[in-house]
Amino acid sequence: MLVKEIEPIGNIGINLLQKENPKDIIDKVVEIPLRNACRIFLEKGIETVMSSANKNNVLATNQKPTEREDVYGKQWFYPSPTFEDAGKGYSWIMLNFDSLSDSNKDLLFSIEDKIGDNGERIGEKIVWFVHPSTMGNLHYKNKTSQYSYEYLKTCLSDDEIPKDIEIDERLSKFEKRHVVLSYNDRYPTNTVVIRMPVNETTTVEEVDEYFTKFARCFKNQQELKQDIKETIDKEKQRNKQNEIEENTR
């Protein structure tokens, strides 16, 4: 079966991980070519946001697919690029960037950095880091080291300056790489879109294989959370035992 034969699903699912029966919901809101990948993401504790793999992603022979340079920096023009622009010539899955573990964020950064044999930035075609709008709040700009405390002291009073903010290096990387697309504000503000080029001869099986392999590359965050919980529990037990020993001396 070809991707151009797949009808779009009209149902919308926001944050599959927060639904009561997410495995059932995948069949209702995710098109056939992407279901296996979304199931793997679900099992690994990775939050999917939106996806698309249907006839609308397949362009006519005289149309060009949308690339990063076609949308980057154009958010002030009308009409603004939307999340649908990411799917012009591409099937895609959008993930919540903030929900990813550090190792999974680093995986995406490394893929986006990929350079082809002729120097072309092939990684930028298949991984987009996306904001729905330019982030302007003070907390965010401090987290990405866009403002220094020395600068803030020149324009804000002491009680207006956020305290004890650690620089988020991965969020800074995100900020340097991101494109701006318009989409509903119910969705996360930091997302990543994984894309696969499709055309009139692309099959459902090819898309399924591509995204399934992609999803399998991610580390299981459910296991990571369990490891962190066990480490914290052991530390608490150790501290409690030390306290008991200290009191009995």
Side-chain angles (χ1 to χ4, degrees):
M1 188 175 187
L2 301 176
V3 173
K4 70 177 183 180
E5 299 173 309
I6 301 292
E7 293 292 330
I9 292 179
N11 297 330
I12 297 175
I14 300 175
N15 186 0
L16 297 180
L17 295 184
Q18 292 181 357
K19 299 298 183 178
E20 185 176 349
N21 297 303
K23 290 184 179 180
D24 295 335
I25 287 174
I26 286 176
D27 290 334
K28 296 178 181 178
V29 302
V30 178
E31 285 137 6
I32 291 175
L34 303 176
R35 287 177 187 171
N36 285 331
C38 285
R39 290 189 185 100
I40 294 171
F41 282 130
L42 177 63
E43 291 168 359
K44 292 188 174 185
I46 294 171
E47 184 180 322
T48 56
V49 181
M50 290 189 281
S51 66
S52 183
N54 59 65
K55 66 180 185 181
N56 292 342
N57 301 105
V58 178
L59 302 179
T61 53
N62 61 337
Q63 291 180 300
K64 290 178 59 179
T66 300
E67 306 298 354
R68 177 185 171 90
E69 58 267 21
D70 298 320
V71 299
Y72 185 79
K74 293 187 177 181
Q75 61 270 27
W76 304 115
F77 293 86
Y78 183 83
S80 297
T82 71
F83 64 88
E84 292 179 346
D85 284 283
K88 290 182 178 178
Y90 288 85
S91 292
W92 54 274
I93 295 177
M94 179 186 282
L95 307 176
N96 181 354
F97 177 82
D98 293 332
S99 75
L100 296 173
S101 66
D102 288 348
S103 59
N104 283 332
K105 289 177 182 178
D106 290 340
L107 170 66
L108 289 166
F109 289 140
S110 67
I111 294 173
E112 200 247 19
D113 281 336
K114 293 290 184 183
I115 304 295
D117 294 337
N118 297 319
E120 67 275 21
R121 299 188 63 86
I122 57 176
E124 290 184 354
K125 292 180 179 291
I126 60 175
V127 175
W128 282 9
F129 298 97
V130 176
H131 277 325
S133 60
T134 300
M135 304 298 289
N137 69 78
L138 195 61
H139 178 77
Y140 181 88
K141 288 185 178 294
N142 275 327
K143 293 283 283 184
T144 58
S145 70
Q146 291 184 29
Y147 289 152
S148 67
Y149 280 104
E150 288 70 24
Y151 168 77
L152 293 175
K153 287 177 182 178
T154 66
C155 55
L156 297 174
S157 62
D158 288 343
D159 59 345
E160 292 177 311
I161 300 176
K163 302 298 189 295
D164 302 323
I165 292 182
E166 296 182 5
I167 301 301
D168 187 330
E169 297 296 339
R170 290 176 177 84
L171 189 58
S172 297
K173 284 186 178 182
F174 179 101
E175 174 67 17
K176 291 175 182 177
R177 300 162 185 255
H178 83 276
V179 299
V180 177
L181 299 176
S182 298
Y183 56 86
N184 196 298
D185 60 8
R186 293 175 298 174
Y187 294 102
T189 55
N190 301 322
T191 63
V192 57
V193 177
I194 302 168
R195 309 197 307 161
M196 172 190 171
V198 294
N199 56 43
E200 292 188 342
T201 64
T202 304
T203 66
V204 169
E205 291 76 18
E206 288 172 328
V207 175
D208 173 75
E209 181 181 13
Y210 176 90
F211 282 98
T212 297
K213 286 182 176 179
F214 215 123
R216 286 174 178 161
C217 291
F218 286 76
K219 292 188 176 179
N220 192 316
Q221 298 188 165
Q222 302 284 36
E223 294 176 357
L224 178 62
K225 289 177 182 178
Q226 182 61 30
D227 290 342
I228 293 174
K229 181 179 182 302
E230 290 177 0
T231 300
I232 293 174
D233 289 343
K234 288 179 181 178
E235 185 64 26
K236 286 181 179 179
Q237 291 175 359
R238 195 178 302 115
N239 291 338
K240 186 175 182 179
Q241 183 63 32
N242 290 340
E243 184 178 341
I244 292 172
E245 293 176 357
E246 185 69 27
N247 291 335
T248 56
R249 289 176 183 172

